[in-house]
Amino acid sequence: MKILFLGDVMGRAGRRAITENLPRLRQEWRLDFVVVNSENATSGMGLSGSHAKTLLDAGADCLTLGDHAFDQKDMLQFIQHEPRILRPLNFSKAAPGMGARLFTAQNGRKVLVAQVLGQVFMKRPFDDPFSALEPVLKTHPLGGQASAALVDIHCEATSEKMALGHFCDGRVSLAVGTHTHVPTADAMVLPGGTGYLTDAGMCGDYHSVIGMEKTEPLRRFITGMPKDRFTPATGTATLSGVYVETDDRTGKATRIAMVRDGGILQPAAP
Ligand SMILES: [Fe+2]
Ligand SMILES: [Fe+2]
């Protein structure tokens, strides 16, 4: 299968980059399955139901969330009726929606997608992501019912993401980090056959502070005092993420490539 994963969609600029470019990339790269992390798609804070529809209509097969999962209150309801949206497995025992699910790709093949939150440097203490993931990976062995499997590793610390990547090695097709909004350059296939990238980066305007218009973040760093709200930067966004090809029989990654399309980052394509 040919799979594309895109990092955190940031505000209107990120949404526009998805609607304007994802349909073309889907065709050009003959993608079988597309996952888009959407935790910042609505004003940088969470995902509204209407913006979820926009991203799904543009060609995403699955939307993942993150620590901002329910910043938009309507998602608490919306996620219960839209199984294509996943929130982290270990978000909270009381959270609505699912943290992992078996999807059916357009070619009829089954794809497992799961998301976990890290514990290191996160603003809330979440449950252990390793033990949250273990039963899901055990129930869905790669090369069984699922032709491919993806895990979105939503963490701040690169060390925790790498550890989770090794934990997933040989058990999923792709383990990819999100949350920092800055892409890392370490796309690789791990020894067990899992494609891995520490962070997919964001789909947003990189002339910013991690997607936010830079004036207020700069003021807060310099003076230690807030004055305005954070608002997403509005310049042209770069679509940022990772492309992976998998063997349908084993589910393992045969090729991995960084993706950067549009905006001010240096382009990269499969
Ligand atoms: Fe994010
Ligand atoms: Fe996040």
Side-chain angles (χ1 to χ4, degrees):
M1 292 184 75
K2 295 178 165 68
I3 298 169
L4 176 67
F5 182 97
L6 293 172
D8 310 33
V9 174
M10 190 66 193
R12 178 175 300 153
R15 295 196 310 270
R16 189 187 303 137
I18 297 276
T19 53
E20 286 178 2
N21 298 296
L22 185 56
R24 169 180 57 86
L25 296 179
R26 247 203 116 112
Q27 280 220 318
E28 253 176 50
W29 299 345
R30 294 189 291 150
L31 299 170
D32 298 305
F33 199 74
V34 177
V35 180
V36 179
N37 183 300
S38 312
E39 72 149 359
N40 309 107
T42 301
S43 314
M45 305 287 175
L47 174 67
S48 69
S50 77
H51 291 158
K53 264 183 72 50
T54 304
L55 300 175
L56 290 164
D57 289 348
D61 296 294
C62 167
L63 305 177
T64 55
L65 294 168
D67 51 314
H68 290 287
F70 301 109
D71 286 6
Q72 300 294 321
K73 297 291 166 281
D74 74 326
M75 187 48 64
L76 289 164
Q77 294 295 325
F78 194 86
I79 198 169
Q80 300 185 49
H81 308 289
E82 182 44 89
R84 292 177 292 176
I85 305 175
L86 297 179
R87 46 79 175 166
L89 274 168
N90 54 338
F91 188 86
S92 148
K93 298 250 186 308
M98 286 176 287
R101 190 169 84 86
L102 208 54
F103 289 75
T104 306
Q106 287 176 7
N107 63 9
R109 305 218 188 282
K110 301 281 184 209
V111 182
L112 174 75
V113 186
Q115 184 182 45
V116 285
L117 277 162
Q119 295 181 300
V120 181
F121 307 136
M122 299 298 280
K123 56 181 182 280
R124 262 200 322 122
F126 297 107
D127 289 346
D128 167 27
F130 295 87
S131 55
L133 207 47
E134 181 60 33
V136 174
L137 300 183
K138 202 169 254 170
T139 321
H140 301 282
L142 202 56
Q145 203 188 357
S147 299
L150 275 87
V151 180
D152 175 345
I153 302 171
H154 199 80
C155 311
E156 183 71 37
T158 50
S159 55
E160 191 177 22
K161 288 195 253 207
M162 286 191 123
L164 278 160
H166 290 300
F167 181 76
C168 290
D169 189 20
R171 309 174 81 187
V172 301
S173 318
L174 176 69
V176 56
T178 52
H179 178 71
T180 71
H181 295 196
V182 179
T184 58
D186 57 340
M188 61 181 142
V189 178
L190 297 175
T194 292
Y196 173 80
L197 175 67
T198 296
D199 204 293
M202 66 171 167
C203 297
D205 175 8
Y206 279 78
H207 183 204
S208 65
V209 174
I210 62 169
M212 292 296 183
E213 202 287 314
K214 62 189 188 301
T215 312
E216 180 63 15
L218 267 168
R219 176 181 9 247
R220 293 197 199 181
F221 276 116
I222 293 166
T223 69
M225 290 174 283
K227 188 174 170 219
D228 292 321
R229 290 180 8 180
F230 286 141
T231 53
T234 55
T236 306
T238 303
L239 285 189
S240 183
V242 66
Y243 166 91
V244 69
E245 281 180 23
T246 64
D247 179 320
D248 276 355
R249 198 176 47 80
T250 63
K252 295 190 175 180
T254 52
R255 195 161 86 81
I256 188 163
M258 314 267 313
V259 169
R260 291 184 300 273
D261 188 86
I264 59 174
L265 292 196
Q266 213 179 77

